C-alpha cells in the first residue's frame, strides 16, 4: 500500500464511521500564541476541546501536515523528521476510550490488514480502563506495557492547552531486526518496534504553570504518522526507503553523482537533504519567508542545514531548488498549494541558498580557525562571543556551529551565546510601552467592574444614543469627570470604531445634556471592550448619563477610502506580482495608508504603474462594496483571503467588492459603499522592511489631492527657478545636467592642478622631528577627495613621513593624516594622531594606522590643532 492509498484508506474509514473530513490547516497556526508551528493534528481543534468554539461535527478526521524542530539534529538517521504528515481521528465529547481503541484496532487489523500478532499496545501507568479494553479486543496481557508520563502522557501543544494520558500501537518487525536482548520490547531503540498510532485521551487543560483542570468533556485526539505507517505497509525498516522519499533520494543521488547505500556518511547526508527539502518547500508554500526570528528562523535554519550537508556530498553550487521540485512533483497532487506557489517557492529557495553560499565558506573557514586556535590553547570549547560573531556577522546559525563543532570534538557555550543574543535584542528593542501600560491597566479596571464586550453599531450609523457605563481617570474608576479632565469613557453601545486590524480608532464627540467629551482616540481592550479616550470639553459627564455619540464623519470617510483601497491594492498586487503575495500588516489612517506584503524583490516602476492603473480602473467602475457574516470554513472555501497568522472565530465578516466579487477578504474594518467614493489612488513609496517583505505607502481621496497639489506646487517652483514653462521642465533639466557635469569636471581638473601646485609648495615645510619627517600644514578649502589626492602625492614624494593636512570646507574644519608603512611598524598610527588633532577643534575621527580622517566644530582652532602634530611625534 503506497502513501496515497494509506491516506485515502484512513480518511475513508473514518468518514464511514460518521466522522467529518476536515482539510488540514497551515503549518503556521493562526492566532495561537502558544505555538510557533503546527506540531500535531489536534492544533486546529484546540478551541473545540476547550469548549471555546462549536465544532462542525462531534466526530472529525484529517490529514495534517506538521513540523517539529525538537529532533532536528537527529535528522539523518532512519526515523527522525522535522516535517511529517499526521492522520488523525477526533472526538469532541462523543466517544472516548472504548470507541477510540476499538476503531483503531479495526482499522489496523482489517483495513491495513496488519497481523494482530505483530501488534503491541502501551498504556499510561495507572490506566486500568485502557488495559481492560485492549484485553477485551484480544491483545495478550504480555503485549500491553505500562509506561510513565515521559512516554505515555501527551502534553499540551505549546506551553498550555488540552492534554491527557495516551495509548500507543506498536508494530513488531520481528526478532531478526532487534537487538537480541530478552528485554527487547516497545520503547527499545534498536529499531525492531515502530510506533504507528498514538491515541490520546484528552481529559485535562494544562496552564503555563503546569496545573491541570478537567476539560468540559473528555475528548479523543489520535495521530497516525503517514511516514511510519508507509514503512510498515511497504515492509521497510527506514522511512527513507518508502515511496515518500525514494524519488527525492534518487534526485539527490543524480545531482551529487553518488549512489544511496554507498556509505553511512553519504547516506546520512542524503537523508538530511531529502528530509529538509520537503520541510522547506512546505514552509514556504504556507507563506513563511527566511528571517532571523520566529518561524522565519526555523526555515532559514533548516534550509541552511540542508545546504551544509549538500556540501558534504560535493554539491558546491545551489541545488535545493531542484530537490524542492522533486518534492512538488511528489506531493503536489495532495497539497495543491505546492503547485500553485511553485515559482515563489523556488525563488525564495534560490535567493536564500545563494545568500548563504556567499557566507558559508567564510563561516566554515572562520570556525575552523577558531577551533584551531582553541586547540592550540588546550581548549575544546567555543565561546558564546565567538559563536555569536559567526551568527551575527556571517549568518552562520548557532545550531550549525554546534553541529560542526561537535563532530570535531568541540562544545559551544550556548548559554554565553544566548547572553550575547539578549544584549542584541536589548539594543534593538525600541518599543513604546506607554500606551500598552495604559491599556493594560485599563483592562484590570474594566475586568474588575465586570464589563462585557461593547456592541459596535458603527457599520450602519455614525450617531447613537447610548449610556455611560464606566469612567476612568489615571486608570482609576470614577463616578464623574469635569471640564479639562483627560479620561477614558465606556458606553453600553457605540458607533466609534476601536483601533483594530491596522485601522486607527475613530475620533468625535460624546454629548450629554450636562457636558461634552472630545474623543481623540478609540481603542479596544479584552474582551472586545471599546474605550473612548479624550478630554471633557464642556461641563461634566457621569456614569449613567444618557449621551449621543457622534463620530467625526469626514475623518471616518477618509479612513474608509484608505481601507477599501487596501483591498483593491492586494487584488492588484496579486494580479501583477503573483498569488504568493500575502498581506503581512497595515496601517489605515485618515491621511494615508501603509500596506506590508510578502514579495522577494523591489517592485519596478512599470509594476507600480500597472498596480496603480488596476486600482484606479476599479475605482472608476464604481463597484459595490458589501459585507456578510458567514462561517469561517465557508468563507475560506469560497476563496476569501484571510490575514496571515491571524486568529478568527467560527463566524467571520467578509468584505466583498463587485458582483460577482473580484475581491473577498476577512475584515472587521469600516468601508465605503462603492469604490467610486475613493476618488483617486496613488502610491507614494515602495520599500523593503526586511527579507522578503515589502511596504507600500499610498494616498486616496483628500490625501491624494493634497499630495498631488504639493507635487505640482514643487514642480511649479522648479519651473520658476529654471525660467521654464511647466511642460518644459524636464527638457530644461535634461539640457542643464550635461552642462553641470562638464563644469564639475572642469572644476575638479582645476582643483587637481591646484593640489599639485600646493603639494610642491608644501614639500619645503616638512621638518624632521626625532629622525621622523613630519609635515603638518593648512591648505586651501578643498573637498575631502582632493585632500586625499594631495596626501597621496606627498606620501609618494616624501617616501617616509607623517603627513597631517587641515582645511576649512563648507565652514567646518576637516583633517587628514597619512603615515607611511615603515613608520607604522615603528609604532606611529594615523588613527591615533588624527583623534588627538581633531579633539583640539572640538571634533573626532579615526581610521587605519596608515590613513585616517576627521572633522571638527571650531574652524578658528584649525591652526592650533595642526601645531599639536610635532609635539605628538
Amino acid at each position: 500500500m503506497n502513501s496515497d492509498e494509506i491516506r485515502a484508506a484512513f480518511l475513508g474509514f473514518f468518514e464511514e464511521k460518521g466522522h467529518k473530513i476536515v482539510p488540514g490547516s497551515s503549518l503556521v497556526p493562526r492566532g495561537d500564541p502558544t505555538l510557533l508551528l503546527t506540531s500535531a493534528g489536534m492544533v486546529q481543534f484546540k478551541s473545540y476541546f476547550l469548549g471555546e468554539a462549536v465544532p462542525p461535527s462531534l466526530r472529525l478526521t484529517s490529514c495534517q501536515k506538521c513540523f517539529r524542530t525538537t529532533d532536528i539534529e537527529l535528522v539523518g538517521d532512519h526515523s527522525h523528521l522535522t516535517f511529517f504528515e499526521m492522520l488523525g481521528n477526533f472526538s469532541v465529547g462523543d466517544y472516548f476510550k472504548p470507541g477510540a481503541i476499538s476503531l483503531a484496532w479495526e482499522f489496523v487489523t482489517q483495513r491495513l490488514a496488519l497481523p494482530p500478532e505483530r501488534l503491541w499496545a502501551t498504556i499510561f501507568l495507572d490506566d486500568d480502563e485502557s488495559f481492560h479494553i485492549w484485553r477485551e479486543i484480544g491483545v495478550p496481557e504480555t503485549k500491553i506495557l505500562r509506561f510513565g508520563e515521559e512516554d505515555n502522557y501527551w502534553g499540551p501543544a505549546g506551553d498550555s492547552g488540552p492534554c491527557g494520558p495516551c495509548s500507543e500501537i506498536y508494530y513488531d518487525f520481528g526478532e531478526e531486526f532487534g537487538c537480541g536482548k530478552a528485554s527487547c520490547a516497545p520503547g527499545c531503540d534498536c529499531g525492531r518496534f515502530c510506533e504507528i498510532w498514538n491515541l490520546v485521551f484528552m481529559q485535562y487543560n494544562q496552564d503555563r504553570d503546569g496545573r491541570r483542570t478537567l476539560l468540559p468533556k473528555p475528548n479523543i485526539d489520535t495521530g497516525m504518522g503517514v511516514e511510519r505507517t508507509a514503512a510498515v505497509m511497504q515492509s521497510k525498516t527506514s522511512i527513507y526507503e518508502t515511496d515518500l522519499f525514494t524519488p527525492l533520494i534518487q534526485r539527490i543521488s543524480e545531482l551529487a553523482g553518488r549512489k544511496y547505500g554507498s556509505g553511512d556518511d553519504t547516506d546520512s547526508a542524503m537523508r538530511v537533504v531529502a528530509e529538509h527539502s520537503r520541510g522547506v518547500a512546505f514552509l514556504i508554500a504556507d507563506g513563511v519567508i527566511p528571517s532571523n526570528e520566529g518561524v522565519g528562523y526555523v526555515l532559514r535554519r533548516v534550509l541552511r542545514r540542508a545546504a551544509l550537508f549538500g556540501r558534504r556530498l560535493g554539491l558546491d553550487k545551489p541545488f535545493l531548488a531542484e530537490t524542492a521540485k522533486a518534492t512538488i512533483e511528489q506531493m503536489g497532487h495532495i497539497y495543491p498549494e505546492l503547485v500553485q506557489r511553485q515559482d515563489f517557492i523556488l525563488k525564495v529557495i534560490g535567493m536564500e541558498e545563494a545568500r548563504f553560499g556567499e557566507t558559508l565558506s567564510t563561516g566554515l573557514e572562520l570556525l575552523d580557525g577558531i577551533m584551531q586556535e582553541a586547540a592550540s590553547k588546550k581548549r575544546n570549547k567555543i565561546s558564546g562571543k565567538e559563536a555569536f560573531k559567526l551568527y551575527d556577522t556571517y549568518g552562520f546559525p548557532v545550531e550549525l556551529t554546534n553541529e560542526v563543532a561537535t563532530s570535531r570534538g568541540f562544545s559551544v557555550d550556548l548559554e554565553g551565546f544566548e547572553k550575547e543574543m539578549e544584549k542584541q535584542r536589548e539594543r534593538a528593542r525600541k518599543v513604546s510601552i506607554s500606551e500598552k501600560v495604559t491599556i493594560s491597566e485599563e483592562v484590570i479596571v474594566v475586568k474588575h467592574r465586570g464589563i462585557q464586550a461593547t456592541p459596535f453599531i458603527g457599520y450602519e450609523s455614525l450617531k447613537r444614543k447610548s449610556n455611560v457605563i464606566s469612567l476612568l481617570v489615571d486608570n482609576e474608576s470614577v463616578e464623574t469627570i469635569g471640564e479639562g479632565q483627560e479620561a477614558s469613557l465606556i458606553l453600553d453601545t457605540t458607533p466609534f470604531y476601536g483601533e483594530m486590524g491596522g485601522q486607527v480608532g475613530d475620533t468625535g464627540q460624546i454629548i450629554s445634556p450636562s457636558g461634552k467629551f472630545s474623543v481623540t482616540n478609540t481603542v479596544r481592550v479584552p474582551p472586545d471592550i471599546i474605550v473612548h479616550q479624550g478630554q471633557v470639553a464642556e461641563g461634566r459627564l457621569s456614569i449613567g448619563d444618557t449621551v449621543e455619540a457622534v463620530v467625526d464623519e469626514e475623518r471616518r470617510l477618509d479612513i474608509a477610502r484608505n481601507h477599501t483601497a487596501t483591498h483593491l491594492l492586494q487584488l492588484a498586487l496579486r494580479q501583477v506580482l503573483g498569488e504568493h503575495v500575502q498581506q503581512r500588516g497595515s496601517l489605515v489612517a485618515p491621511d494615508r495608508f501603509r500596506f506590508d506584503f510578502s514579495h522577494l524583490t523591489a517592485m519596478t516602476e512599470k509594476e507600480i504603474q500597472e498596480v496603480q492603473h488596476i486600482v484606479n480602473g476599479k475605482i472608476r467602475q464604481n463597484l459595490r462594496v458589501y459585507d456578510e457574516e458567514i462561517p469561517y470554513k465557508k468563507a475560506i472555501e469560497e476563496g476569501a483571503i484571510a490575514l496571515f497568522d491571524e486568529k478568527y472565530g467560527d463566524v467571520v465578516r467578509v468584505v466583498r467588492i463587485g458582483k460577482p466579487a473580484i475581491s473577498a477578504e476577512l475584515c472587521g474594518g469600516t468601508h465605503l459603499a462603492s469604490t467610486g467614493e475613493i476618488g483617486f489612488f496613488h502610491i507614494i513609496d515602495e520599500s523593503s522592511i526586511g527579507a522578503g517583505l515589502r511596504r507600500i505607502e499610498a494616498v486616496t481621496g483628500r490625501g491624494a489631492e493634497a499630495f498631488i497639489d504639493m507635487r505640482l506646487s514643487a514642480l511649479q517652483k522648479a519651473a520658476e527657478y529654471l525660467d521654464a514653462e511647466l511642460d518644459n521642465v524636464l527638457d530644461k533639466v535634461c539640457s542643464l545636467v550635461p552642462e553641470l557635469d562638464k563644469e564639475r569636471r572642469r572644476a575638479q581638473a582645476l582643483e587637481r592642478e591646484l593640489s599639485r601646485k600646493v603639494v610642491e609648495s608644501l614639500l619645503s615645510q616638512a621638518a624632521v622631528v626625532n629622525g621622523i619627517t613630519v609635515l603638518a600644514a593648512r591648505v586651501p578649502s578643498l573637498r575631502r577627495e582632493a585632500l586625499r589626492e594631495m596626501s597621496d602625492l606627498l606620501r609618494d614624494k616624501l617616501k617616509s613621513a607623517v603627513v597631517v593636512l587641515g582645511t576649512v570646507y563648507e565652514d567646518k574644519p576637516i583633517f587628514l593624516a597619512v603615515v607611511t608603512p615603515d613608520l607604522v611598524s615603528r609604532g606611529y598610527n594615523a588613527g591615533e594622531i588624527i583623534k588627538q588633532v581633531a579633539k583640539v577643534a572640538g571634533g573626532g575621527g579615526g581610521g587605519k594606522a596608515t590613513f585616517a580622517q576627521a572633522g571638527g566644530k571650531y574652524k578658528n582652532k584649525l591652526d592650533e590643532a595642526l601645531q599639536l602634530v610635532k609635539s605628538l611625534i
Side-chain angles (χ1 to χ4, degrees):
M1 188 179 279
N2 65 32
S3 55
D4 287 351
E5 292 167 338
I6 291 169
R7 291 188 205 93
F10 186 95
L11 296 174
F13 173 81
F14 281 100
E15 188 174 36
E16 291 171 16
K17 301 295 182 180
H19 293 65
K20 179 180 176 62
I21 298 176
V22 179
S25 61
S26 168
L27 281 173
V28 182
R30 284 178 174 162
D32 190 341
T34 69
L35 282 174
L36 191 64
L37 289 159
T38 297
S39 56
M42 57 76 64
V43 168
Q44 66 169 319
F45 306 128
K46 278 174 71 174
S47 59
Y48 303 150
F49 293 147
L50 291 169
E52 296 172 348
V54 178
S57 168
L58 297 181
R59 296 185 174 200
L60 305 166
T61 185
S62 70
C63 179
Q64 176 64 52
K65 50 193 178 183
C66 302
F67 204 102
R68 296 178 192 166
T69 58
T70 317
D71 300 321
I72 188 169
E73 285 85 6
L74 298 176
V75 170
D77 63 7
H78 291 277
S79 61
H80 285 91
L81 299 168
T82 55
F83 172 83
F84 57 96
E85 296 175 90
M86 189 66 79
L87 294 163
N89 60 290
F90 309 89
S91 164
V92 186
D94 187 24
Y95 59 82
F96 198 46
K97 292 180 183 180
I101 292 173
S102 61
L103 285 169
W105 189 255
E106 181 182 346
F107 180 74
V108 295
T109 59
Q110 295 183 27
R111 292 298 171 93
L112 296 186
L114 294 177
E117 63 272 14
R118 291 273 189 178
L119 301 174
W120 292 58
T122 65
I123 59 175
F124 188 56
L125 277 176
D126 59 1
D127 191 357
D128 294 332
E129 183 185 358
S130 293
F131 176 82
H132 291 302
I133 297 169
W134 283 117
R135 288 291 293 117
E136 288 170 9
I137 280 177
V139 178
E141 184 175 340
T142 55
K143 290 190 174 182
I144 305 172
L145 306 182
R146 295 177 186 262
F147 289 98
E149 207 162 297
E150 186 177 344
D151 296 299
N152 273 71
Y153 196 98
W154 189 257
D159 59 9
S160 60
C163 61
C166 63
S167 181
E168 297 169 325
I169 300 175
Y170 279 80
Y171 179 80
D172 182 359
F173 281 105
E175 291 183 9
E176 63 273 25
F177 294 97
C179 56
K181 296 177 182 177
S183 60
C184 189
C188 182
D189 59 6
C190 65
R192 171 182 169 180
F193 296 93
C194 176
E195 178 214 324
I196 57 171
W197 208 340
N198 188 6
L199 317 177
V200 183
F201 310 128
M202 289 287 187
Q203 296 169 260
Y204 304 100
N205 180 28
Q206 180 174 306
D207 65 20
R208 291 178 180 175
D209 296 324
R211 291 187 296 265
R212 293 169 184 165
T213 54
L214 284 171
L215 290 167
K217 293 179 181 178
N219 309 285
I220 290 296
D221 156 33
T222 83
M224 171 181 267
V226 173
E227 292 81 5
R228 291 183 180 184
T229 306
V232 169
M233 297 304 295
Q234 294 166 30
S235 301
K236 305 293 184 183
T237 55
S238 170
I239 56 176
Y240 292 96
E241 295 171 7
T242 67
D243 68 308
L244 286 163
F245 281 97
T246 47
L248 273 169
I249 296 289
Q250 178 61 34
R251 187 72 188 105
I252 295 163
S253 180
E254 292 168 359
L255 290 168
R258 300 192 186 191
K259 188 176 180 181
Y260 185 72
S262 59
D264 289 346
D265 290 344
T266 295
D267 292 355
S268 177
M270 284 188 175
R271 290 192 289 266
V272 169
V273 173
E275 199 284 333
H276 288 353
S277 294
R278 289 206 320 165
V280 163
F282 274 93
L283 283 171
I284 298 171
D286 277 351
V288 181
I289 292 173
S291 71
N292 280 338
E293 59 183 18
V295 67
Y297 183 66
V298 172
L299 171 59
R300 172 162 285 169
R301 177 184 172 190
V302 172
L303 191 152
R304 292 186 171 191
R305 188 170 188 263
L308 180 67
F309 275 84
R311 288 287 184 101
R312 297 181 184 180
L313 294 170
L315 295 167
D316 296 328
K317 295 180 180 178
F319 67 92
L320 288 173
E322 289 301 315
T323 57
K325 283 181 189 175
T327 295
I328 295 166
E329 291 166 8
Q330 170 77 2
M331 305 192 75
H333 65 293
I334 301 293
Y335 298 98
E337 63 269 24
L338 290 172
V339 177
Q340 292 164 2
R341 296 174 182 164
Q342 176 169 334
D343 291 345
F344 183 64
I345 292 168
L346 301 182
K347 197 170 184 179
V348 172
I349 290 172
M351 290 179 67
E352 179 66 14
E353 190 176 8
R355 186 181 292 118
F356 185 50
E358 293 168 3
T359 60
L360 179 58
S361 297
T362 305
L364 288 171
E365 287 173 13
L366 287 168
L367 180 55
D368 189 59
I370 289 168
M371 289 189 288
Q372 285 182 15
E373 185 179 349
S376 69
K377 296 177 180 177
K378 308 296 183 186
R379 183 166 58 90
N380 65 348
K381 192 168 190 175
I382 294 169
S383 72
K385 285 188 176 181
E386 290 168 328
F388 178 75
K389 184 178 180 182
L390 285 170
Y391 163 78
D392 192 47
T393 308
Y394 301 100
F396 211 74
V398 69
E399 295 83 6
L400 293 190
T401 298
N402 193 41
E403 198 162 335
V404 173
T406 302
S407 69
R408 296 267 298 272
F410 286 81
S411 63
V412 178
D413 179 9
L414 296 176
E415 190 176 329
F417 172 82
E418 280 303 321
K419 286 179 181 176
E420 293 299 319
M421 282 292 292
E422 187 52 41
K423 288 178 187 175
Q424 186 191 58
R425 292 187 195 106
E426 196 60 42
R427 289 191 294 267
R429 199 172 283 130
K430 294 180 180 177
V431 178
S432 173
I433 63 168
S434 57
E435 183 177 307
K436 293 185 178 179
V437 170
T438 301
I439 293 174
S440 174
E441 289 171 345
E442 284 176 351
V443 171
I444 296 169
V445 175
V446 167
K447 284 186 175 178
H448 179 69
R449 293 183 60 85
I451 296 171
Q452 301 301 310
T454 310
F456 172 68
I457 55 89
Y459 294 134
E460 301 84 25
S461 174
L462 298 183
K463 288 184 181 180
R464 177 74 173 197
K465 290 285 187 185
S466 187
N467 296 301
V468 179
I469 59 173
S470 181
L471 294 170
L472 302 167
V473 175
D474 294 330
N475 305 308
E476 294 292 334
S477 184
V478 298
E479 292 295 318
T480 302
I481 51 176
E483 191 167 326
Q485 268 190 301
E486 292 186 352
S488 294
L489 185 152
I490 301 173
L491 303 175
D492 60 2
T493 184
T494 184
F496 281 79
Y497 183 87
E499 183 175 343
M500 182 179 68
Q503 179 175 324
V504 299
D506 280 332
T507 61
Q509 294 184 331
I510 295 173
I511 306 165
S512 78
S514 60
K516 184 187 292 184
F517 184 82
S518 293
V519 180
T520 55
N521 191 25
T522 309
V523 299
R524 292 174 192 259
V525 299
D528 208 22
I529 297 163
I530 297 176
V531 181
H532 310 78
Q533 298 175 331
Q535 187 175 43
V536 181
E538 296 175 14
R540 309 172 69 79
L541 284 91
S542 302
I543 291 178
D545 282 357
T546 298
V547 298
E548 184 174 39
V550 184
V551 175
D552 183 333
E553 185 174 1
E554 280 298 315
R555 185 176 180 276
R556 166 71 83 83
L557 283 172
D558 287 337
I559 293 169
R561 289 185 185 97
N562 284 332
H563 205 148
T564 301
T566 66
H567 289 217
L568 291 177
L569 174 60
Q570 178 155 225
L571 166 76
L573 287 170
R574 289 167 73 90
Q575 285 183 13
V576 174
L577 303 180
E579 291 294 310
H580 65 273
V581 168
Q582 291 181 322
Q583 182 179 345
R584 292 300 181 87
S586 66
L587 171 67
V588 181
D591 57 333
R592 65 190 172 90
F593 75 84
R594 190 174 72 210
F595 187 86
D596 301 340
F597 61 99
S598 56
H599 187 57
L600 294 172
T601 56
M603 291 178 67
T604 64
E605 187 176 342
K606 183 180 178 182
E607 287 170 339
I608 291 173
Q609 289 175 348
E610 192 174 349
V611 166
Q612 288 184 157
H613 176 73
I614 292 170
V615 173
N616 282 310
K618 301 304 179 189
I619 291 170
R620 287 190 293 275
Q621 288 175 26
N622 198 28
L623 302 168
R624 183 186 165 203
V625 181
Y626 55 101
D627 67 326
E628 63 174 335
E629 290 193 350
I630 57 175
Y632 171 77
K633 300 284 187 192
K634 183 183 179 184
I636 297 302
E637 287 168 4
E638 291 178 356
I641 295 174
L643 188 63
F644 181 81
D645 202 18
E646 184 64 65
K647 182 176 176 62
Y648 297 94
D650 289 335
V651 177
V652 293
R653 179 173 180 255
V654 180
V655 174
R656 302 183 191 275
I657 298 176
K659 278 201 169 184
I662 59 167
S663 167
E665 292 190 30
L666 275 56
C667 179
T670 60
H671 289 269
L672 303 167
S674 63
T675 59
E677 295 178 60
I678 296 172
F680 183 69
F681 164 86
H682 187 76
I683 293 173
I684 59 176
D685 188 49
E686 192 273 345
S687 61
S688 169
I689 56 168
L693 293 175
R694 309 294 302 176
R695 170 171 291 170
I696 279 177
E697 292 187 60
V699 287
T700 67
R702 293 195 301 174
E705 183 182 354
F707 179 80
I708 298 299
D709 283 348
M710 180 184 70
R711 285 294 174 92
L712 285 174
S713 175
L715 186 61
Q716 181 64 50
K717 287 178 181 176
E720 291 171 7
Y721 280 126
L722 293 168
D723 193 23
E725 294 294 326
L726 202 62
D727 293 342
N728 297 329
V729 168
L730 182 60
D731 291 338
K732 185 78 171 181
V733 170
C734 289
S735 66
L736 281 175
V737 168
E739 288 182 34
L740 286 171
D741 285 341
K742 181 180 177 182
E743 290 302 314
R744 189 177 293 111
R745 287 193 296 272
R746 191 169 76 88
Q748 288 172 353
L750 290 170
E751 195 174 52
R752 281 193 293 273
E753 181 62 29
L754 174 62
S755 296
R756 282 191 288 270
K757 290 182 177 180
V758 171
V759 164
E760 293 299 327
S761 69
L762 289 176
L763 289 173
S764 61
Q765 297 180 32
V768 177
V769 179
N770 288 342
I772 305 296
T773 300
V774 179
L775 175 59
R778 178 177 186 142
V779 298
S781 180
L782 295 168
R783 295 174 302 112
R784 285 184 187 271
E785 293 80 7
L787 211 59
R788 182 160 189 167
E789 284 181 18
M790 287 179 66
S791 69
D792 290 342
L793 288 169
L794 287 166
R795 180 195 57 213
D796 294 342
K797 289 182 177 293
L798 294 171
K799 306 301 182 184
S800 174
V802 172
V803 177
V804 180
L805 302 177
T807 190
V808 175
Y809 184 71
E810 293 184 346
D811 216 35
K812 294 282 185 182
I814 57 174
F815 302 94
L816 184 144
V818 170
V819 176
T820 52
D822 62 308
L823 298 181
V824 170
S825 64
R826 292 172 58 181
Y828 293 95
N829 186 300
E832 294 302 320
I833 292 169
I834 207 75
K835 284 179 187 175
Q836 297 294 325
V837 171
K839 190 176 179 182
V840 175
K848 299 177 182 178
T850 55
F851 175 82
Q853 51 190 347
K857 295 179 182 177
Y858 313 118
K859 61 181 181 181
N860 59 331
K861 295 279 189 178
L862 179 70
D863 294 328
E864 183 184 339
L866 291 170
Q867 288 169 12
L868 179 66
V869 176
K870 291 182 181 179
S871 63
L872 287 174
I873 300 304

